[in-house]
Amino acid sequence: MSSVLPIVELRNARLSKVEKLREKGINAYPSRSHRTHYTKEIVNNFDAFEGQTVTVAGRLMAFRDFGKLSFGPIQDQTGRIQLYLRQDTLTSEQGAIAYEDLHLLDVGDFIEATGKVTKTQRGEISVAPVIVRILTKSLRPLPDKWAGLKDREAILRRRYLDTTFSPEHKEVFEKVGQMLFAIRRFLYERGFIEFQTPIIQPQYGGGTAKPFLTHVNALDTDMFLAISHELYLKRLIAAGYDKVFTIGRYFRNEGIDRSHHPEFSMIETMTAYENYEYNMDLIEAMFRYIAETVFAKTLFEVRGHKIDFGEKWKRISMADAVQEVTGLDFRDCQSVDEANDKLISLGVNEPQATIGLAIAKAFEAKVEETLINPTFIYGHPLDISPLAKPMDDNPNFVERFEIFIAGMECGDNWSEQNDPVALLERWQSAINVEELDEEKFHPLDYDFIEMLEHGMPPTTGIGPGIERMAMIFTGEEDIYNIIFFPMMKPVLSQANAAIFGIDELPRFGFKEDVLLAQEEFESLLAAGVLQPESAAINLRLHLRLWEKPTTEGNWKATGYLEASGFLKNKRLKISGYSAEAKEKLNKAEALKAYKQFAIQNFIVKVKEKFSDCKVRFEED
């Protein structure tokens, strides 16, 4: 099979170059570079560097040979600079590449060049090397230099290639790192102390999410990956620390979509001797601080709306917000039937069990999407907030607030319940054994209750998600564009199976899927290598709108196809198919266009190739 895969031949050719370099006494993988400057520094300050000798290093992105002259840009973290290579000046000292041996280099190799900074006749800032050393030999070719990576799955699995061809894509990840630094500085300046809290926990708590289960062999005990660090931060408050925080990793074994990921980051704080109103001020100031220090502006576009984080945030109770939008005050209701009648008048035909739940339902159905500018919604019904402190003036509502920006919920915070008897009572009343598997509550943590019985002062905390916050500031609407290493099902490509001589997929990690790029699949299909192993081929089309609308208003649909029936007990995943709407289409129309594209370019081909088989087609 490997003979029909071009990648195998290309890799073998590069391996032979490694051997030729070794024969010349050149190590293709030295342990260090002697770089003195980054490319951006030189390009931005050419007048200061002209004529000076520098050493630059980076990935070779192209190569043009004109006989006694050659040109090749190299790219480092900061940018690119051209190498202006001349036969009469390039030396071949020990460990260096002679001019006649430049053919042993390939686009994608990491190299180092030492020479003077100059300009070519065309005025391009360059380094004219006298010494070129190889730092790392690339065994696989980079994608097409003009097309780069277009397939969504290829980008997510090989982000390192995407950022190589599209360095501008690195910026969003750099901004996330800068945000983390800014958040820490913001909290340090206000007297907070950072703590590392456990990720592997004997009892998950602090939320109502479904946890990941693990096992600690040394203790022969099942434990959980953290869904929250809240209960540990409260223990620190009881230990005598007044302001604490953690920037931790969180794991919730739930769905994956454009705004949710099973593993994510969050800032959690706890502050003693304050209530939820303190946190409104804190988080508003934090957002403004990040906007000004990381992005040097306060005006952002979020989900198509202009949001100014320099302005004062609106603060309104949930019941008042419902009344403001609908004209109905649910607090006047004398019975749950009256509250449900008001819901029906709003077109919400979902009866609720209590007046408080009816308020929350009306808010969700009619108010959330209207909250465009940053808004604090506070005073939630006790019915939906059993673990928060009741308000002094009305115990039917609690000291809790949520943040809404551009119609999107962006954080949930409250004054912590520190009455151990009241908390235990509410905790126990919230448990319904029939709903245990639905993770609508977290189990009782008696160790935590014991801590509360020793005493914890009035306490409040915040917990905004890093990725959600980054989406707001960068304008990204897909969380996968914020996470450099998104969670994906492990697959083994047919190319890698051929290269590494794998006949049987490993038991662990690769249970079902073999990944093929579109070109690989069509190559194997045409060569007759892929043949059905059963009388039926099942095809399943997976569609997704990963890309937000372009400036012209178009949607781009992407997806992949699953095929079973070719490999015994394994599915093929064929990626690389995409279709961009040429007209201004809505989401449904764009998905329909993709479906038609995939059927014409894949499913029809399979049916024609294997007319003897029964080909079944479905879509998710």
Side-chain angles (χ1 to χ4, degrees), residues 170-180 294-296 470 474:
K170 294 194 300 183
E171 183 178 1
V172 65
F173 303 110
E174 293 168 359
K175 289 298 184 185
V176 173
Q178 293 167 16
M179 284 173 55
L180 290 170
V294 177
F295 298 90
T474 62

Side-chain angles (χ1 to χ4, degrees), residues 1-243:
M1 183 181 296
S2 62
S3 61
V4 302
L5 295 178
I7 180 63
V8 178
E9 299 174 4
L10 289 170
R11 183 174 179 272
N12 288 338
R14 293 196 177 196
L15 282 170
S16 69
K17 290 183 179 182
V18 173
E19 290 303 316
K20 290 176 182 177
L21 288 168
R22 286 175 178 157
E23 290 171 4
K24 294 178 178 292
I26 297 173
N27 180 7
Y29 301 96
S31 63
R32 63 165 295 185
S33 166
H34 301 92
R35 176 170 60 187
T36 60
H37 296 84
Y38 283 99
T39 60
K40 184 178 181 179
E41 180 184 5
I42 297 169
V43 172
N44 289 353
N45 301 279
F46 172 74
D47 291 341
F49 280 98
E50 185 177 15
Q52 289 193 26
T53 298
V54 298
T55 299
V56 292
R59 191 189 286 271
L60 184 64
M61 298 303 297
F63 190 75
R64 294 170 291 154
D65 182 7
F66 298 99
K68 295 183 179 182
L69 291 177
S70 297
F71 300 89
I74 63 169
Q75 178 173 293
D76 64 16
Q77 177 178 314
T78 65
R80 291 188 183 189
I81 196 167
Q82 179 175 256
L83 300 185
Y84 174 42
L85 300 143
R86 296 175 52 183
Q87 186 178 28
D88 59 346
T89 58
L90 194 63
T91 62
S92 57
E93 65 177 47
Q94 181 65 32
I97 306 288
Y99 191 86
E100 59 271 19
D101 293 329
L102 288 178
H103 67 280
L104 296 178
L105 297 179
D106 289 291
V107 171
D109 290 352
F110 285 88
I111 64 173
E112 174 188 277
T114 301
K116 291 186 177 181
V117 178
T118 185
K119 276 188 179 179
T120 64
Q121 291 181 348
R122 294 185 176 183
E124 184 168 357
I125 297 173
S126 306
V127 173
V130 293
I131 298 174
V132 171
R133 295 174 61 236
I134 187 166
L135 299 177
T136 300
K137 184 66 184 172
S138 171
L139 299 184
R140 302 196 187 207
L142 295 176
D144 179 81
K145 65 180 180 179
W146 302 113
L149 286 182
K150 298 299 183 183
D151 174 51
R152 177 65 178 179
E153 181 153 343
I155 289 173
L156 296 179
R157 290 187 182 277
R158 302 178 182 86
R159 186 88 73 179
Y160 52 89
L161 293 180
D162 178 54
T163 53
T164 295
F165 273 96
S166 303
E168 67 276 10
H169 291 177
K170 294 194 300 183
E171 183 178 1
V172 65
F173 303 110
E174 293 168 359
K175 289 298 184 185
V176 173
Q178 293 167 16
M179 284 173 55
L180 290 170
F181 180 79
I183 290 165
R184 284 188 164 95
R185 186 168 55 190
F186 172 85
L187 292 173
Y188 289 151
E189 290 173 355
R190 284 155 180 79
F192 283 83
I193 302 173
E194 183 174 10
F195 281 86
Q196 297 296 315
T197 47
I199 287 178
I200 299 176
Q201 303 177 354
Q203 176 63 68
Y204 69 94
T208 55
K210 187 174 184 179
F212 284 91
L213 179 67
T214 188
H215 186 81
V216 179
N217 291 336
L219 301 177
D220 191 23
T221 302
D222 286 341
M223 291 195 178
F224 305 90
L225 299 186
I227 66 169
S228 171
H229 296 263
E230 172 184 321
L231 301 185
Y232 288 93
L233 291 172
K234 290 177 183 176
R235 287 174 170 91
L236 290 167
I237 294 293
Y241 300 98
D242 287 354
K243 292 183 174 182

Side-chain angles (χ1 to χ4, degrees), residues 492-554:
L492 183 68
S493 73
Q494 199 67 29
N496 281 342
I499 288 170
F500 301 128
I502 300 173
D503 295 323
E504 291 292 330
L505 293 178
R507 281 186 62 233
F508 182 75
F510 303 96
K511 295 182 179 179
E512 295 178 324
D513 296 347
V514 175
L515 177 66
L516 291 178
Q518 175 184 352
E519 296 81 3
E520 290 177 318
F521 177 80
E522 292 179 351
S523 172
L524 295 172
L525 204 64
V529 175
L530 275 178
Q531 292 290 333
E533 293 193 355
S534 65
I537 298 174
N538 296 311
L539 307 173
R540 185 176 180 82
L541 176 61
H542 296 266
L543 302 173
R544 205 159 193 182
L545 282 169
W546 285 103
E547 303 292 340
K548 62 183 178 181
T550 66
T551 54
E552 292 79 20
N554 298 341

Side-chain angles (χ1 to χ4, degrees), residues 567-586:
L567 301 176
K568 189 174 181 180
N569 298 323
K570 302 180 186 71
R571 292 177 300 186
L572 290 177
K573 285 183 68 176
I574 302 99
S575 65
Y577 292 89
S578 64
E580 185 167 1
K582 301 303 181 184
E583 302 174 357
K584 293 185 178 180
L585 304 178
N586 60 33

Side-chain angles (χ1 to χ4, degrees), residues 377-415:
I377 296 294
Y378 66 87
H380 293 55
L382 178 65
D383 309 50
I384 61 171
S385 314
L387 302 185
K389 275 198 168 186
M391 288 187 159
D392 291 335
D393 59 350
N394 189 340
N396 292 322
F397 298 90
V398 298
E399 294 189 355
R400 173 186 174 188
F401 71 86
E402 289 180 288
I403 304 162
F404 287 87
I405 300 171
M408 177 173 56
E409 190 267 313
C410 301
D412 190 7
N413 315 266
W414 52 74
S415 300

